[in-house]
Amino acid sequence: MTVSTIENRDDLIRYLEAALALEHATLPPYLTAYYSIRSTTNSDAAHIIRVAAVEEMLHLTLVANVLNAVGGRPDLTRPGFVPSYPAYLPDGEDDFTVDLRPFSPEAVETFCKIERPGKAPSADERLLSAPADRAPLLVSSPTAEGMRFYSIGEFYEEITEGLEKVAADDPALFRGDPARQVGPEYFYSGGGTMIVVTDLDSARRALQFIAAQGEGLDSGIYDAEGELAHYYRFRQLQLGRYYQEGDEPGTPTGPPLSISWDDVHNVKVSAKLADYPPGSELARVAREFNADYGALLALLTQAFDGRPALLQDAVCDMFRLRDGFNRLICNPLPGHDGLHAAPTFEIEPAAGSDQPAARDAGEPTRAVTP
């Protein structure tokens, strides 16, 4: 019999906080690839990546709803919430780094690895030993030291089973304030309906939706809403053709995709503030972008803290960052052989936020350690 790593409400909250960090950790890579695409080009790829980013915001909000329902407090401004890229993310038997890359075959390969379905051979093999010489993993166990999960799908399966166990032992588990829930009226997306979490059934549905929309682990190519799982959307970019109803996983038969890998700003992979010339205009713009992104995380935290109407502004703000991206990616980064600048996502304290600062100014965040 598999030994659970979630024994009580405190364990469950730690897992849900890790899930919140995990869902966010995909956004900077997706946004970097999206904004690196030159204007008016690669419309198919841009649409696929943009929709995936919006749906990651949906996943982030669903996790926040579950966390709020059990009396937790989502905080996207806590130290270490934003990973220092490149960051490790386990997928199946292999570990790989998640970088901030321009749109490229390498970036799409990473996206497929992030979302790739990975069903463990058995429940006993859901947890694996984490390599001792690797950076912290984004999906390590918060309660079993030195262990990581076989895949993101198995990570969510562990949370779901733990949720059921704790709910059976604690009738008052769902003690959170209903006013802190984000309902469908506050999140408009074609990729799924927001689930208000008030009990075990709604919490289970929210977690299962996240796993299915990302990996398609149990529902096949399409999720329960009839939408392509993220993994198969990204596979379309590798295979050069859209999936259509009735297709097998590796053989899409729909219309071809048009991709031009050269119509991209070739930004430096996982750029750091230290790469920018001290005192330069580019360094100033990079720091301003990080401040704006930190403010976005503070706004999301407020939205999950009983002001759900702010979520609509936050989703729009995520794409208003375009101007900040363009001020960087359109300019060569001095001393880097023609590579262009890019946001570093080393987050400074958000101005006016009541939440704890993400880090001290000028000091990069650590990799996410759930």
Side-chain angles (χ1 to χ4, degrees), residues 14-54:
R14 291 176 66 187
Y15 263 88
L16 290 170
E17 289 173 342
L20 201 69
L22 171 65
E23 293 303 329
H24 164 266
T26 63
L27 284 173
Y30 290 170
L31 292 174
T32 299
Y34 174 74
Y35 285 114
S36 73
I37 296 173
R38 293 184 183 275
S39 178
T40 74
T41 72
N42 285 304
S43 58
D44 290 333
H47 176 73
I48 287 172
I49 297 171
R50 188 184 194 280
V51 169
V54 171

Side-chain angles (χ1 to χ4, degrees), residues 32 46 56 66 77 102 112 120 158 168 173 186 207 210 222-223 225 234 246 262 279 312 314 321 338 340 356 360:
T32 299
E56 292 299 342
V66 178
T77 67
C112 287
E158 184 78 4
L173 175 62
Y186 299 115
L207 296 172
I210 294 170
Y222 294 92
D223 63 26
E225 302 287 332
F234 290 132
D262 293 331
Q312 296 172 341
L321 293 170
H340 280 217
D360 292 332

Side-chain angles (χ1 to χ4, degrees), residues 136-160:
L137 302 170
L138 297 183
V139 193
S140 57
S141 169
T143 62
E145 186 175 355
M147 302 298 288
R148 67 173 178 89
F149 281 91
Y150 189 89
S151 67
I152 293 175
E154 293 291 356
F155 171 73
Y156 276 107
E157 189 67 21
E158 184 78 4
I159 296 178
T160 301

Side-chain angles (χ1 to χ4, degrees), residues 257-310:
L257 278 81
S258 176
I259 299 177
S260 174
W261 300 110
D262 293 331
D263 284 321
V264 173
H265 297 284
N266 191 19
V267 303
K268 179 176 173 58
V269 174
S270 297
K272 301 292 185 185
L273 288 173
D275 295 322
Y276 289 84
S280 67
E281 177 69 8
L282 276 179
R284 184 184 66 80
V285 172
R287 290 185 181 278
E288 286 181 356
F289 179 95
N290 289 343
D292 289 342
Y293 194 79
L296 170 64
L297 296 181
L299 185 64
L300 284 168
T301 299
Q302 293 174 44
F304 300 150
D305 194 37
R307 301 175 63 188
L310 291 176

Side-chain angles (χ1 to χ4, degrees), residues 4-356:
S4 175
T5 61
I6 301 176
E7 295 293 331
N8 51 50
R9 177 173 167 271
D10 287 343
D11 289 346
L12 178 61
I13 286 175
R14 291 176 66 187
Y15 263 88
L16 290 170
E17 289 173 342
L20 201 69
L22 171 65
E23 293 303 329
H24 164 266
T26 63
L27 284 173
Y30 290 170
L31 292 174
T32 299
Y34 174 74
Y35 285 114
S36 73
I37 296 173
R38 293 184 183 275
S39 178
T40 74
T41 72
N42 285 304
S43 58
D44 290 333
H47 176 73
I48 287 172
I49 297 171
R50 188 184 194 280
V51 169
V54 171
E55 290 177 355
E56 292 299 342
M57 288 283 283
L58 172 63
H59 298 175
L60 185 78
T61 307
L62 287 171
V63 173
N65 273 359
V66 178
L67 184 55
N68 270 324
V70 300
R73 298 293 295 269
D75 184 3
L76 283 65
T77 67
R78 62 180 172 83
F81 181 80
V82 180
S84 177
Y85 298 96
Y88 281 97
L89 180 73
D91 184 88
E93 298 177 354
D94 300 318
D95 291 322
F96 60 95
T97 56
V98 178
D99 294 272
L100 303 176
R101 290 183 175 275
F103 176 63
S104 60
E106 293 80 9
V108 175
E109 176 67 18
T110 296
F111 299 164
C112 287
K113 287 179 178 178
I114 291 172
E115 306 284 5
R116 184 172 58 198
K119 188 72 174 175
S122 69
D124 290 327
E125 298 173 86
R126 179 177 297 159
L127 277 167
L128 304 171
S129 295
D133 60 343
R134 296 290 178 87
L137 302 170
L138 297 183
V139 193
S140 57
S141 169
T143 62
E145 186 175 355
M147 302 298 288
R148 67 173 178 89
F149 281 91
Y150 189 89
S151 67
I152 293 175
E154 293 291 356
F155 171 73
Y156 276 107
E157 189 67 21
E158 184 78 4
I159 296 178
T160 301
E161 292 181 6
L163 182 76
E164 293 168 344
K165 172 183 171 60
V166 177
D169 296 337
D170 182 2
L173 175 62
F174 293 94
R175 65 193 69 177
D177 183 355
R180 294 168 60 82
Q181 292 291 309
V182 176
E185 68 272 25
Y186 299 115
F187 194 99
Y188 302 102
S189 169
T193 302
M194 183 60 60
I195 298 171
V196 172
V197 178
T198 57
D199 54 18
L200 177 60
D201 178 67
S202 52
R204 187 191 293 118
R205 285 191 290 112
L207 296 172
Q208 291 174 343
F209 175 85
I210 294 170
Q213 190 172 67
E215 300 184 339
L217 189 58
D218 295 318
S219 57
I221 294 177
Y222 294 92
D223 63 26
E225 302 287 332
E227 298 283 342
L228 265 182
H230 288 185
Y231 171 73
Y232 296 103
R233 292 185 196 176
F234 290 132
R235 282 288 286 157
Q236 293 174 140
L237 298 176
Q238 292 182 316
L239 299 172
R241 190 170 292 274
Y242 283 102
Y243 280 100
Q244 60 185 359
E245 188 174 354
D247 284 345
E248 294 298 320
T251 54
T253 63
L257 278 81
S258 176
I259 299 177
S260 174
W261 300 110
D262 293 331
D263 284 321
V264 173
H265 297 284
N266 191 19
V267 303
K268 179 176 173 58
V269 174
S270 297
K272 301 292 185 185
L273 288 173
D275 295 322
Y276 289 84
S280 67
E281 177 69 8
L282 276 179
R284 184 184 66 80
V285 172
R287 290 185 181 278
E288 286 181 356
F289 179 95
N290 289 343
D292 289 342
Y293 194 79
L296 170 64
L297 296 181
L299 185 64
L300 284 168
T301 299
Q302 293 174 44
F304 300 150
D305 194 37
R307 301 175 63 188
L310 291 176
L311 185 64
Q312 296 172 341
D313 295 332
V315 173
C316 293
D317 285 351
M318 184 171 73
F319 291 100
R320 289 195 187 106
L321 293 170
R322 175 185 60 191
D323 291 342
F325 263 101
N326 287 338
R327 292 169 68 194
L328 293 168
I329 64 174
C330 293
N331 290 287
L333 185 59
H336 291 274
D337 298 325
L339 295 176
H340 280 217
T344 68
F345 292 93
E346 297 165 284
I347 305 306
E348 307 220 359
S353 172
D354 293 331
Q355 299 295 329

